[in-house]
Amino acid sequence: MKLTRKLVLAKAKASDLESVKKLNCWGCSLTDISIFSQMPNIEVLTLSVNSISSLSPLAGCLNLSELYLRRNMIPSLSELSHLRPLTRLKVLWLAENPCCGPETSQYRLTVLRCLPRLQKLDNQVVTEDEISLALMDGEEVTTPPGSNRNQLSTNGQTDAETENDPLNYNMEETNKIREELGMKPLSRDKFSSPSSPSTRENIPSMRKTHTLDAVLLLLRDLDEDELHIVHTATKNRLQTYTLDSQTLQDSQQTQKTTDLQH
């Protein structure tokens, strides 16, 4: 069943789509929600217990703060990529969809890696530690075919040129992270060009440097709450390195002691 303008206005008791801020369509047997591409001001949306399989119509609902999608037919977590631009989205209920899978903990980490601004997922409060763990251990949500490539313009370069351009590695890495955080991608002119053609020969060794550049660029756009999340994730990551380093030192010391005894 398609959600129509007439049905939306009747349920919301409104005169036009742009004035609708809250809408409850629980259990309406919906399959087509394309009408939401005309509803940029919706803030709270209940679509639970329907047969919805695509979230692409919600990509332009930038004021959306609460979204209830329990018991639908969403096939893959890749559909969540359409929600990345929704920076105000704080509450999401996605449980009981095919995309959730049998491993609840991994599903939750993957959702939070894709949408790290969430404050509540499936009626459970999201903690800072959980976000930090998700950023490290959650699986990457891939963008559905045909949408990601179009967003990151390379100013008419051929695929071969794009693939071999070290600048493009820097740009794509940054924009990939920006997309996950719901930010707009940066244009190519925001990045410095390679100093010489010889840099093309060093693409593999440049990737880590470009990842660091991407992170540093992103820090300029983060607010205080988001910086706290980054701080917690960084601290947890550093603790892992410290433990690994200590374990290695202990192992080396044990080996030296053993050698001396023999």
Side-chain angles (χ1 to χ4, degrees):
M1 177 179 173
K2 182 177 182 177
L3 182 59
T4 63
R5 181 177 185 276
K6 182 178 180 180
L7 184 57
V8 169
L9 296 181
K11 283 185 167 293
K13 298 179 180 179
S15 57
D16 60 90
L17 295 176
E18 291 191 356
S19 66
V20 178
K21 294 187 176 181
K22 294 184 179 181
L23 185 65
N24 188 339
C25 291
W26 189 96
C28 292
S29 302
L30 298 176
T31 56
D32 185 338
I33 57 171
S34 56
I35 189 70
F36 289 113
S37 62
Q38 304 174 45
M39 300 175 60
N41 297 319
I42 189 77
E43 296 177 2
V44 179
L45 181 57
T46 300
L47 295 171
S48 298
V49 194
N50 284 289
S51 298
I52 298 165
S53 60
S54 175
L55 302 180
S56 59
L58 301 177
C61 300
L62 301 182
N63 290 318
L64 195 60
S65 61
E66 297 182 24
L67 178 60
Y68 302 92
L69 291 164
R70 185 176 63 89
R71 290 181 60 186
N72 272 279
M73 298 298 292
I74 300 169
S76 168
L77 289 178
S78 64
E79 287 296 319
L80 293 180
S81 63
H82 298 299
L83 304 183
R84 282 173 175 156
L86 312 186
T87 58
R88 297 184 181 182
L89 185 63
K90 303 301 180 185
V91 177
L92 175 65
W93 199 329
L94 189 63
E96 299 179 71
N97 272 277
C99 63
C100 298
E103 296 189 20
T104 306
S105 59
Q106 187 59 43
Y107 143 78
R108 189 172 174 87
L109 291 177
T110 299
V111 173
L112 292 177
R113 175 176 175 174
C114 180
L115 303 172
R117 299 171 186 267
L118 289 180
Q119 296 177 356
K120 185 180 285 189
L121 174 61
D122 295 339
N123 207 33
Q124 294 183 20
V125 173
V126 175
T127 65
E128 280 192 11
D129 288 340
E130 194 174 18
I131 291 291
S132 300
L133 184 61
L135 294 176
M136 291 189 292
D137 296 342
E139 295 178 9
E140 182 180 352
V141 172
T142 57
T143 304
S147 55
N148 186 46
R149 212 50 169 159
N150 293 333
Q151 286 181 353
L152 303 178
S153 171
T154 52
N155 291 342
Q157 285 186 299
T158 64
D159 289 342
E161 289 172 334
T162 297
E163 183 178 356
N164 293 316
D165 187 355
L167 170 59
N168 194 60
Y169 282 115
N170 192 359
M171 183 176 72
E172 286 195 351
E173 190 69 33
T174 300
N175 282 334
K176 181 179 176 183
I177 300 172
R178 292 180 72 89
E179 183 184 12
E180 289 187 5
L181 294 176
M183 299 177 181
K184 293 182 178 179
L186 293 175
S187 59
R188 192 176 179 82
D189 59 9
K190 296 293 184 181
F191 297 83
S192 57
S193 299
S195 57
S196 69
S198 63
T199 58
R200 294 179 182 273
E201 300 173 3
N202 302 317
I203 289 173
S205 63
M206 294 174 69
R207 288 188 178 181
K208 279 195 173 182
T209 301
H210 287 159
T211 300
L212 178 60
D213 290 343
V215 172
L216 294 176
L217 280 170
L218 286 168
L219 289 178
R220 302 175 187 175
D221 295 324
L222 300 182
D223 60 25
E224 184 177 357
D225 291 339
E226 292 160 348
L227 286 170
H228 277 302
I229 292 174
V230 172
H231 173 71
T232 303
T234 304
K235 186 169 62 175
N236 290 343
R237 188 67 172 162
L238 284 172
Q239 287 175 349
T240 301
Y241 278 112
T242 301
L243 289 173
D244 289 344
S245 177
Q246 185 61 48
T247 301
L248 179 60
Q249 290 177 8
D250 292 344
S251 176
Q252 291 174 339
Q253 185 62 41
T254 301
Q255 185 62 44
K256 286 182 180 178
T257 303
T258 302
D259 292 343
L260 289 173
Q261 289 175 343
H262 288 79

